């Protein structure tokens, strides 16, 4: 029986991808580099630090990774604070509140930085539902490396067999499966060019999930 649900954040709880895309493209233009959308799509599920490490190598950028990360985060924060049409994804709030009310342990495992997670959790008052938050910036390698999910399982106090992950990205699903965790792939219209074929099951709307269904998985 499932006792812990591990949520990704971007593309699963809230769609901040347009804000990230805007911030990255602004920064890419300032750096004088062009990153095609098909290459950008492969970054989904990676931490900002790892993305800039890859870009620094690919484009021989002179700036240090820390500086690149800080500039992008500033651009993101400015856009996030002024963007009014930012909402939780349809149905996810109802699922979160139902699972929490029924006693399911909820953990966030997101590639986003703690500062970004905190802004989103504060804005949508999500702290009350989650027992732990794990950020990708805590690990040297991003998804598809399984470290973030292994840590989430450790924090849950439950065996991996009693945990599930909800993910929307190719890298996130690969990480969950590498950690030996049942994975639900969320086929979001906001997450472009992602391969969900490795997921144990897929959904297109959170109304397809409930506490009663989840607790009986896998």
């Amino acid at each position: 029986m499932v006792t812990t649900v591990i949520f990704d954040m971007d593309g699963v709880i809230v769609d901040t991808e347009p804000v990230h895309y805007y911030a990255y493209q602004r920064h890419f233009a300032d750096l004088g580099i062009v990153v095609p959308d098909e290459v950008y799509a492969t970054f989904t599920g990676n931490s900002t630090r790892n993305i800039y490490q890859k870009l620094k190598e690919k484009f021989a950028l002179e700036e240090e990774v820390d500086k690149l990360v800080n500039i992008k985060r500033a651009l993101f924060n400015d856009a996030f604070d002024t963007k009014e049409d930012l909402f939780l994804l349809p149905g996810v709030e109802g699922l979160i509140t139902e699972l929490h009310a029924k006693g399911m342990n909820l953990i966030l495992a997101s590639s986003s930085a703690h500062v970004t997670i905190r802004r989103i959790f504060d804005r949508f008052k999500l702290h009350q539902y989650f027992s732990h938050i794990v950020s990708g910036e805590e690990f040297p390698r991003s998804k598809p490396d399984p470290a973030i999910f292994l840590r989430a399982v450790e924090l849950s106090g439950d065996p991996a067999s009693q945990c599930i992950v909800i993910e929307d990205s190719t890298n996130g699903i690969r990480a969950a499966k590498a950690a030996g965790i049942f994975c639900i792939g969320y086929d979001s219209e906001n997450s472009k060019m992602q391969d969900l074929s490795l997921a144990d099951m897929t959904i297109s709307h959170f109304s397809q999930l409930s506490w009663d269904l989840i607790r009986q998985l896998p």
Side-chain angles (χ1 to χ4, degrees), residues 122-182:
D122 286 347
R123 178 163 176 166
F124 295 106
K125 299 179 174 57
L126 295 174
H127 288 284
Q128 60 188 311
Y129 302 116
F130 289 80
S131 63
H132 298 281
I133 291 173
V134 189
S135 164
E137 70 178 353
E138 300 171 24
F139 308 94
R141 290 185 291 182
S142 291
K143 305 169 186 176
D145 187 275
I148 190 170
F149 289 131
L150 292 172
R151 177 59 176 156
V153 170
E154 179 185 7
L155 290 170
S156 77
D158 296 327
S161 60
Q162 291 178 215
C163 301
I164 68 166
V165 168
I166 303 178
E167 263 284 357
D168 71 312
S169 73
T170 305
N171 288 330
I173 293 169
R174 288 173 60 194
K177 298 310 300 175
I181 310 172
F182 187 95

Side-chain angles (χ1 to χ4, degrees), residues 86-99:
L86 187 62
F87 308 101
L88 296 180
L89 290 175
V92 74
E93 185 173 14
L95 178 64
I96 289 171
T97 55
E98 179 193 10
L99 294 178

Side-chain angles (χ1 to χ4, degrees), residues 13-178:
I13 293 178
V14 63
D15 181 25
T16 57
E17 179 51 36
V19 188
H20 283 293
Y21 184 83
Y22 168 82
Y24 275 119
Q25 294 302 324
R26 278 279 308 275
H27 197 195
F28 295 162
D30 291 343
L31 292 169
I33 63 176
V34 176
V35 180
D37 283 347
E38 58 269 23
V39 175
Y40 181 84
T42 67
F43 295 154
T44 303
N46 279 220
S47 68
T48 305
R49 179 172 301 280
N50 282 335
I51 290 171
Y52 277 107
Q53 286 172 341
K54 293 176 182 179
L55 292 172
K56 182 176 174 65
E57 295 172 6
K58 181 177 179 62
F59 293 100
L61 300 176
E62 295 182 1
E63 293 86 347
E64 294 300 318
V65 170
D66 283 346
K67 180 179 179 181
L68 295 168
V69 168
N70 289 335
I71 292 172
K72 184 269 173 180
R73 285 180 180 165
L75 290 168
F76 173 87
N77 290 339
D78 288 344
F80 180 89
D81 289 341
T82 57
K83 189 172 179 60
E84 296 182 358
D85 58 335
L86 187 62
F87 308 101
L88 296 180
L89 290 175
V92 74
E93 185 173 14
L95 178 64
I96 289 171
T97 55
E98 179 193 10
L99 294 178
H100 181 264
K102 294 284 190 177
M104 192 75 74
N105 185 26
L106 305 184
I107 295 178
L108 187 85
S110 170
S111 296
S112 295
H114 278 293
V115 63
T116 302
I117 295 170
R118 185 165 55 251
R119 295 176 90 91
I120 290 169
F121 268 50
D122 286 347
R123 178 163 176 166
F124 295 106
K125 299 179 174 57
L126 295 174
H127 288 284
Q128 60 188 311
Y129 302 116
F130 289 80
S131 63
H132 298 281
I133 291 173
V134 189
S135 164
E137 70 178 353
E138 300 171 24
F139 308 94
R141 290 185 291 182
S142 291
K143 305 169 186 176
D145 187 275
I148 190 170
F149 289 131
L150 292 172
R151 177 59 176 156
V153 170
E154 179 185 7
L155 290 170
S156 77
D158 296 327
S161 60
Q162 291 178 215
C163 301
I164 68 166
V165 168
I166 303 178
E167 263 284 357
D168 71 312
S169 73
T170 305
N171 288 330
I173 293 169
R174 288 173 60 194
K177 298 310 300 175

